[in-house]
Amino acid sequence: MSHRLLLTQQQGDSGKTRVSQLSVDASNVAAYAAYEDAAPKRIAAINMNYWNATSSTEARGSVTLDLEVPGDVAEVTVYHLNSPSGAGAAADSITYGGSQWTYESLGTEVQDVRQDTETVTVKGGVASVTVASSEAVLVRLC
């Protein structure tokens, strides 16, 4: 359910959203910008490097993406879609923006499960956003 929310929020509700793939200098990582009226509004990124807390022998890796943003953007908000267990996670450990939608809650949002939404300050027109292995993020350009 959480991944659907990330995709829905990336697409937006204006009916005018155009999505374009961004060039990323990292292996197994993809990023897409959502534009409305030719202005970038959101960026979704996914780190497809596999990591599983129960079977991976190394610490969880990550990549930092330096995302160019419009000059009037001072900060961005980053919503993480992940689990502390990584790719081998049970559904009840996955959050998006700190919230869950579980069987037990009958699909109703359970807020503040984790505090993993962050605000990143833009420096020189660049927002540096870290994406862990087996994680996706939605970056809102504030």
Side-chain angles (χ1 to χ4, degrees):
M1 175 76 162
S2 304
H3 66 285
R4 291 185 195 137
L5 183 58
L6 182 145
L7 293 172
T8 299
Q9 289 185 350
Q10 169 68 349
Q11 190 60 32
D13 58 8
S14 70
K16 303 180 200 175
T17 304
R18 183 178 55 85
V19 176
S20 178
Q21 186 171 9
L22 301 176
S23 177
V24 176
D25 189 26
S27 181
N28 297 319
V29 177
Y32 300 87
Y35 298 84
E36 293 179 11
D37 297 322
K41 299 293 184 181
R42 297 168 298 281
I43 298 170
I46 182 168
N47 183 341
M48 295 172 277
N49 288 299
Y50 182 84
W51 184 81
N52 182 334
T54 58
S55 65
S56 294
T57 58
E58 297 179 11
R60 190 174 202 165
S62 65
V63 297
T64 299
L65 303 176
D66 291 328
L67 304 170
E68 293 183 26
V69 299
D72 63 340
V73 175
E75 62 185 23
V76 300
T77 304
V78 183
Y79 300 88
H80 294 265
L81 171 61
N82 67 23
S83 167
S85 299
D92 64 356
S93 73
I94 299 170
T95 60
Y96 171 64
S99 294
Q100 287 182 328
W101 295 260
T102 64
Y103 176 80
E104 290 79 12
S105 72
L106 302 175
T108 301
E109 181 178 9
V110 179
Q111 297 180 334
D112 300 321
V113 175
R114 267 197 304 279
Q115 303 302 315
D116 60 0
T117 298
E118 61 181 315
T119 301
V120 173
T121 301
V122 174
K123 296 177 185 160
V126 174
S128 295
V129 176
T130 300
V131 187
S133 296
S134 299
E135 176 181 69
V137 298
L138 179 70
V139 181
R140 287 193 176 272
L141 310 183
C142 304

